[in-house]
């Protein structure tokens, strides 16, 4: 009897256990699966199939070199220079945007003053501008008839211009990258636990030590994500570069030139794949670092 009485609770406990939820699509009901159908259809029709076609087209023979377009990118100085210039300016723009707008976003999140809403609206206004308009604004600032040229002509009897170079492209990219960082950093600063800062100050930490050990790690995921977005946007931005001049050697303009001017579809496809893969890797690495507990409390 004692053995039976001891086994009954165990059997009851075992029977009361709930089955583990099934993973994957098997655990979803039919309505949930049907809800995924439109998204999967659009994904396959407008991204997966065209990108697969680009990959195959890029493996074809390049009209200019007679070898595979992917191999031509790695062996021709023109394309390597374009790739290096695109990577360099995108990286510099990302770092500059995170540094400048990160400080501005933190200041705006922590201080209240008259006209703050108007200032935030003005700083984020470039988000409403397409790339062509941004390029035109850079020309109005640093072009031949721009404000800087007129001022230098009046002061030094010579025109100073930067619009039609990588410097002008940097200014244009930075102009529409700063708003993306400011809004994200402001939202991240609002979620910081200020008690950690107060505790650090009570222990004798200086302002710079608090910023380095508490504030920056706390908003690091936001900085990484916005930096990656700025990098990806700068890598593929076309309107601003096209407005400032088609002679600059960067990947978006090279893709446009190979496709429209020379009908070199294999090279245009290969350059598009390279640009897309680099951007995807940057976003994936940033997402992994930002989601890996970076800046989270222990």
């Amino acid at each position: 009897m004692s053995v039976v009485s001891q086994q009954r609770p165990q059997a009851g406990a075992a029977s009361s256990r709930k089955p583990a939820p099934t993973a994957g699509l098997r655990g979803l009901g039919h309505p949930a699966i049907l809800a995924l159908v439109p998204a999967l259809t659009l994904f396959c029709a407008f991204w997966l199939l065209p990108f697969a076609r680009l990959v195959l087209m890029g493996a074809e023979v390049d009209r200019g070199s007679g070898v595979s377009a992917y191999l031509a990118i790695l062996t021709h100085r023109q394309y390597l220079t374009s790739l290096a210039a695109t990577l360099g300016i995108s990286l510099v723009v990302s770092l500059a945007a995170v540094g400048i707008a990160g400080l501005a976003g933190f200041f705006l999140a922590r201080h209240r003053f008259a006209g703050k809403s108007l200032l935030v609206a003005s700083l984020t206004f470039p988000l409403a501008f397409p790339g062509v308009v941004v390029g035109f604004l850079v020309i109005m600032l640093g072009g031949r008839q721009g404000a800087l040229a007129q001022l230098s002509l009046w002061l030094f009897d010579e025109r100073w211009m930067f619009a039609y170079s990588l410097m002008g492209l940097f200014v244009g990219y930075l102009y529409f990258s700063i708003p993306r960082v400011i809004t994200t950093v402001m939202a991240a600063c609002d979620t910081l636990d200020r008690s950690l800062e107060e505790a650090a100050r009570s222990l004798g930490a200086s302002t710079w030590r608090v910023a380095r050990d508490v504030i920056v790690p706390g908003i690091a995921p936001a900085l990484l994500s916005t930096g990656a977005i700025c990098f990806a946007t700068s890598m593929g931005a076309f309107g601003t570069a096209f407005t400032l001049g088609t002679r600059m050697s960067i990947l978006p303009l090279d893709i446009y030139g190979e496709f429209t001017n020379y009908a070199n579809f294999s090279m245009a496809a290969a350059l598009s794949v390279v640009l897309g893969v680099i951007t995807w890797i940057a976003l994936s690495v940033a997402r992994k670092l930002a989601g890996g507990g970076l800046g989270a409390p222990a």
Side-chain angles (χ1 to χ4, degrees):
M1 292 296 293
S2 61
V3 175
V4 175
S5 62
Q6 291 177 359
Q7 291 178 349
R8 285 179 180 176
Q10 296 177 357
S15 61
S16 62
R17 293 177 182 175
K18 295 182 179 181
T22 56
L25 294 177
R26 295 180 180 180
L28 299 176
H30 292 290
I33 296 177
L34 292 177
L36 293 175
V37 171
L40 291 176
T41 302
L42 291 175
F43 174 78
C44 293
F46 293 99
W47 188 88
L48 186 59
L49 294 178
F51 188 76
R53 175 57 179 160
L54 279 180
V55 173
L56 295 177
M57 188 181 297
E60 297 176 359
V61 176
D62 173 40
R63 293 181 57 182
S65 60
V67 298
S68 173
Y70 295 119
L71 181 61
I73 294 175
L74 299 176
T75 55
H76 282 65
R77 183 177 180 180
Q78 172 190 353
Y79 303 118
L80 290 176
T81 302
S82 176
L83 177 60
T86 307
L87 287 172
I89 192 172
S90 300
L91 182 61
V92 172
V93 167
S94 303
L95 294 176
V98 170
I100 296 173
L103 293 175
F106 178 78
F107 176 83
L108 292 172
R110 290 297 178 88
H111 296 83
R112 297 182 180 275
F113 50 89
K116 175 183 175 180
S117 299
L118 180 60
L119 178 59
V120 173
S122 301
L123 291 174
T124 57
F125 190 64
L127 289 174
F129 288 159
V132 176
V133 177
V134 174
F136 183 70
L137 292 177
V138 174
I139 293 175
M140 290 294 97
L141 175 63
R144 181 172 180 81
Q145 301 298 329
L148 179 61
Q150 297 298 326
L151 181 61
S152 62
L153 184 63
W154 179 62
L155 293 176
F156 307 103
D157 198 25
E158 60 178 343
R159 297 179 186 271
W160 293 354
M161 298 179 295
F162 64 86
Y164 310 106
S165 62
L166 288 178
M167 182 62 187
L169 199 62
F170 168 79
V171 173
Y173 286 177
L174 184 64
Y175 180 71
F176 62 68
S177 295
I178 284 178
R180 293 175 170 85
V181 181
I182 285 181
T183 53
T184 305
V185 170
M186 289 180 64
C189 290
D190 290 338
T191 62
L192 282 178
D193 188 1
R194 295 198 179 187
S195 62
L196 298 177
E197 301 176 38
E198 297 173 357
R201 291 191 178 94
S202 65
L203 294 174
S206 62
T207 302
W208 290 109
R209 188 72 180 272
V210 172
R212 187 190 67 181
D213 296 339
V214 179
I215 297 176
V216 172
I219 64 175
L223 297 177
L224 283 171
S225 61
T226 53
I229 292 174
C230 292
F231 178 83
T233 306
S234 300
M235 283 286 295
F238 173 76
T240 303
F242 186 78
T243 305
L244 295 179
T246 57
R247 294 184 179 181
M248 287 185 291
S249 182
I250 58 173
L251 283 185
L253 294 183
D254 284 351
I255 293 171
Y256 174 81
E258 296 290 342
F259 184 80
T260 59
N261 298 334
Y262 308 110
N264 193 358
F265 303 128
S266 59
M267 179 55 67
L271 291 173
S272 301
V273 171
V274 170
L275 190 150
V277 169
I278 292 175
T279 304
W280 177 79
I281 291 175
L283 292 173
S284 299
V285 171
R287 188 182 302 111
K288 182 178 180 180
L289 293 176
L294 205 64

